[in-house]
Amino acid sequence: MALAKEIMGSRLIFERSSSLASSPFQSRLSIKKKTQRTQVSINPFDLSPMKAAISGGVVAAISEDLVKTLRFKTLGRNQENEEVEKAVQFKVRAVVTVRNKNKEDFKETLVKHLDAFTDKIGRNVVLELISIQVDPKTNEPKKSKPAVLKDWSKKSNSKAEKVHYAAEFTVDSAFGLPGAITVTNKHQKEFFLENITIEGFACGPVHFPCNSWVQSQNDHPSKRIFFTNQPYLPSETPSGLRTLREQELENLRGNGKGERKLSDRIYDFDVYNDIGNPDISTELARPVFGGREFPYPRRCRTGRRSTDTDLMSERRVEKPLPMYVPRDEQFEESKKNTFAACRLKAVLHNLVPSLKASILAEDFANFGEIDSLYKEGLLLKLGIQDDMFKKFPLPKIVTTLQKSSEGLLRYDTPKIVSKDKYAWLRDDEFARQAIAGINPVNIERVTTYPPVSNLDREIYGSHLDSALTEDHIIGHLDGLSVQQALETNRLFMVDYHDTYLPFLDRINALDGRKAYATRTILFLTRLGTLKPVAIELSLPKSKRVVTPPIDATSHWTWQLAKAHVGSNDAGVHQLVNHWLRTHACLEPFILAAHRQLSALHPIYKLLDPHMRYTLEINAVARQTLVSADGVIESCFTAGQYGLEISAAAYKNQWRFDMEGLPADLIRRGMAVPDPTQPHGLKLLVEDYPYANDGLLLWSAIQTWVRTYVERYYANPNLVKTDKELQAWYSESINVGHADHRDADWWPELSTVDDLVSIITTIVWLASAQHAALNFGQYPYGGYVPNRPPLMRQLIPDESEPEFASFVEDPQKYFFSSLPSLLQTTKFMAVVDTLSTHSPDEEYIGERQQPSIWTGDAEIVDAFYGFSAEIGRIEQEIEKRNKDPSRRNRCGAGVLPYELMAPSSEPGVTCRGVPNSVSI
């Protein structure tokens, strides 16, 4: 019966969601604090927690009716005339759900058939049920007799996505409640264990959410341990589970030695010492990131041997070989397929050397050639596809694309030019993207004009002084003086001066790279929109200021200046705001969570969906994105110094206490505290789509987290005395962020409020913040003139010889400054991949097995309330995008702001907020 209910779970979800639609979010989450923990497993299909306590006496393991019919009495030899009940053995049934792979290679199929055969002769999958109670005679947890999965060989050829197996455990009436199951895989092949449900106990079905790969005993001799969905703080752990709880954490921590196998489940820390490949070439040598010289967060340890030429660097694993991450962190099959299909576009230049040579130095001649990438496709444009397909045996999916006459590299038209082909050229659109584009987190209010650098004057001297003057902007302030504009909070800035200036000499020495350190001054109009009024372009020894155009020459100079700003912006967005602040800085918290928080811990259960796939995508990034000669070095202005810029930002700018949305908005001067406002602050740009929508999600996340935390920490002292929680936070800081471990800005973890703030920030970064910075990359950056990732020429001055060619053909000069055709298509392929949602994406407000992920029925109910609130936020965002008074997200040719809209279809949609950093 329970199995049928689980299979029909979608109906249950619909019914519960419908019942929540009319309920206010706050009242839905107003649940009782747990003052006394009830150590029972709750039937989530009932959603009313059982009023059973286990203190004192023995809890019957089976239903009372069965006990009554099978109980017998005997006289105790040592107790005169006293009836003593003797425990009787009974059977309880397990339903075990195993997820099949959709596609298997020949070796996997062969091993599967071998396992089916050996299963018949005793090499089975063996399970053992463990009670929450300790046997007083042995002082060990009470255990059932071992049970084997039935009919494995009969069901081995099943094509179903999920296969359900049965097992029967023999227990006695004094067994108590089940708390754990051990699984031993005596087969040759690993299998994915989704969940186990035990039926036959008086408390109702007992659920074990597993979602884990179980390795063969040949590879990993130890039994796998799975716990029920009932959460326990460490101090509340039932006696029968205490040893197992610690044992499982020790298994996950490992001993810090040796090279990891792909089948391992060990989480450990290491520095970024695998970015370069000095054994191939000294030009591919890169420093170690993590330490005094280049502070950086820590990543997942793999334990590979050092390189031959540099003992401090670790040997690299190049694609297509996989990089180690713990087995359960690897992409699931549908995610792998989506990622692999997207990467086909990105590897064209590796497949076809002749094609690479033919287009390496080719520039776009005009805008029509860029348009042809979306209309005709790259190979069709070059007219060499037939010859190429004869020479190179490409995958079937690629030949299918070619035969469809769409071209191998034909892309969808990016959204930025889908509504208005020339919108990107307009100054108002250029400014709008600072608050509603793919990087809306760098704009700040100007408090001092001209702006002042924070770099060391002893190093840079007077070259730090800004070239901006009041004369540059006074004519663009709607009649205000500069002082009035400052006092009325009308001047804003996107400032990359200090980020790039220390690196410009080295960047500009690279072949085909030219950059400035830019500052862009923006003015807030009476309509609530922004307009650029000046751009400062700095080099180490000189500065110039470009203002809005007044003639043909200044028009092209202005467009080139905006392109250089876009290039600066693209680099900081990718290297600092996206990669560093969401991917790299979250990894230490995830590693520490797996090492220090038991699966039984309520905070682990809360964080679990927000950690999915992050370690895997970060490992892929080390292989192909941030590696030496990887995508970021090849396609972005900073080249091989990109990670050094990222490390400098981590050292000088990153602070965990400023990563939450309200704190970040206040730090940048985009908001001021105001307790009368809905979110406790007032935005100084009222129509700031990123902040407007972000505050809705931040508030919903915070309310959900507070409800959850207060449920388990009714006594404030429980936070301080929770040894697992404190170990998690301590290791996240002292090991995972070791280069900042002595910083005084780390929040304390002593109270419920502290814990709510820390968890809310982590969930925000993993979900909404990452979504806002990631899923618009192709819709905005796929049209390279809008946001060129690199520039190849500086803007010529009248005294320079290049000025004549610029004046003679400004369009040609503009395109020769942008990335080449090869650089453009490589970049487009990557951001197309990064912007793609996979079919198995889990969005905020969703969870795997939503009715049984926890055994606390009141929390399940509260989560449905959170989910309903997310649905209401989505409706509000849709409403805002149709409001003509919100000119930064609604109007002729203006893109709606949907990057915070919670749900999405698969593919490139420019919307959707997944639970985790999964791409």
Side-chain angles (χ1 to χ4, degrees), residues 612-626:
R612 186 178 187 230
Y613 290 155
T614 303
L615 298 186
E616 170 81 345
I617 197 61
N618 285 3
V620 171
R622 297 205 314 275
Q623 276 190 306
T624 61
L625 293 180
V626 299

Side-chain angles (χ1 to χ4, degrees), residues 422-443:
Y422 301 108
W424 66 277
L425 284 165
R426 299 197 317 263
D427 285 356
D428 63 290
E429 175 61 25
F430 171 78
R432 188 191 74 86
Q433 291 183 32
I435 54 175
I438 190 56
N439 189 36
V441 297
N442 274 104
I443 186 172

Side-chain angles (χ1 to χ4, degrees), residues 61-62 70 87-94 127-131 142-148 150 167-176 178 198-201:
I62 57 176
L70 295 175
V88 179
Q89 291 187 334
F90 303 98
K91 294 185 183 297
V92 293
R93 182 171 180 266
L127 290 75
E128 197 169 23
L129 196 58
I130 300 174
S131 172
K142 296 177 181 178
K143 299 179 181 179
S144 71
K145 294 182 179 180
V148 300
K150 298 178 180 180
E168 284 188 347
F169 295 100
T170 300
V171 297
D172 61 50
S173 56
F175 182 80
I198 307 294
E199 295 177 316
F201 287 91

Side-chain angles (χ1 to χ4, degrees), residues 575-614:
L575 290 161
V576 178
N577 298 330
H578 178 212
W579 162 250
L580 173 67
R581 292 174 62 186
T582 63
H583 283 260
C585 285
L586 279 178
E587 186 159 347
F589 292 99
I590 294 171
L591 289 169
H594 286 286
R595 289 167 51 85
Q596 303 297 341
L597 295 177
S598 166
L600 287 168
H601 201 291
I603 297 302
Y604 180 88
K605 292 181 183 295
L606 176 61
L607 288 174
D608 186 36
H610 305 291
M611 303 188 291
R612 186 178 187 230
Y613 290 155
T614 303

Side-chain angles (χ1 to χ4, degrees), residues 320-337:
L321 297 176
M323 183 97 77
Y324 170 77
V325 293
R327 181 66 181 99
D328 291 339
E329 306 301 319
Q330 296 170 25
F331 290 159
E332 293 178 15
E333 194 170 7
S334 62
K335 178 78 170 180
K336 282 183 180 178
N337 293 339

Side-chain angles (χ1 to χ4, degrees), residues 460-482:
Y460 298 97
S462 61
H463 295 295
L464 293 182
D465 294 335
S466 175
L468 287 161
T469 67
E470 292 193 7
D471 290 341
H472 287 124
I473 65 173
I474 191 65
H476 304 284
L477 305 183
D478 292 354
L480 298 177
S481 68
V482 173

